[in-house]
Amino acid sequence: MVLQHASISETITTDQSGFTIRYSEPLSLVEVTLNDQVSLNELQPQLSYLLEVIEDKQPLYLLADTRKFSLLGNEGQKVIRNNFLLPLTTSSVIKFARITEPDVFTQAVIDSLLSKVKCESVFGCSMQSFTDRETALDWIYSS
């Protein structure tokens, strides 16, 4: 199944710059893309806003382009884990796909972060990393 040009029915705008959140009701998908590198000070409010959108829309699927998160280091990982991944456990999301850099180092950092929070056993949703949007969407909508 190729969903590269998945229908996005709504772009959710915010006064917070640096990222775009799009929602597709027919696909039950929230998609997040960072447009710029974010600072640690900007990260927490952005993650909180994303959680509000997820709470409001109740999507089954989440797709996040996390390539620019890799530069935040250990402190950024803690903010993501504590302020997004753990609160995500009570959401409607059943599959969470991340688009990451194709390099081994970045993948190891993200895998390390997720292993610390015990992924599926804690979240109740499946999580997987991909290097492109098309493959991530194929996984999301596969049985």
Side-chain angles (χ1 to χ4, degrees):
M1 172 186 340
V2 176
L3 294 169
Q4 184 174 8
H5 302 289
S7 172
I8 301 297
S9 58
E10 176 183 2
T11 297
I12 299 168
T13 56
T14 176
D15 57 359
Q16 298 177 27
S17 63
F19 71 108
T20 303
I21 299 173
R22 296 184 298 172
Y23 172 66
S24 173
E25 186 174 354
L27 297 175
S28 192
L29 174 72
V30 167
E31 183 173 358
V32 182
T33 305
L34 267 77
N35 303 322
D36 301 310
Q37 179 63 39
V38 296
S39 70
L40 284 175
N41 293 334
E42 298 168 320
L43 183 60
Q44 186 169 347
Q46 290 179 354
L47 294 174
S48 295
Y49 182 73
L50 176 56
L51 286 168
E52 289 174 21
V53 169
I54 291 170
E55 178 65 28
D56 179 52
K57 301 299 184 183
Q58 295 291 305
L60 295 176
Y61 310 110
L62 176 61
L63 174 61
D65 186 334
T66 62
R67 290 176 283 195
K68 294 188 180 179
F69 282 138
S70 64
L71 301 175
L72 292 173
N74 287 335
E75 286 303 309
Q77 289 181 25
K78 288 177 188 175
V79 170
I80 293 167
R81 181 180 61 238
N82 296 331
N83 297 293
F84 181 72
L85 292 176
L86 291 175
L88 190 64
T89 62
T90 60
S91 78
S92 59
V93 174
I94 60 171
K95 281 190 173 181
F96 176 18
R98 297 167 315 279
I99 300 172
T100 61
E101 293 290 342
D103 66 84
V104 175
F105 175 75
T106 301
Q107 186 60 46
V109 168
I110 290 171
D111 289 345
S112 171
L113 168 67
L114 293 174
S115 68
K116 287 181 183 177
V117 292
K118 307 266 191 246
C119 291
E120 294 178 33
S121 63
V122 170
F123 296 116
C125 75
S126 298
M127 293 187 195
Q128 200 161 337
S129 296
F130 301 91
T131 57
D132 64 83
R133 183 176 185 264
E134 182 177 341
T135 307
L137 287 169
D138 286 346
W139 173 76
I140 284 173
Y141 294 106
S142 67
S143 298

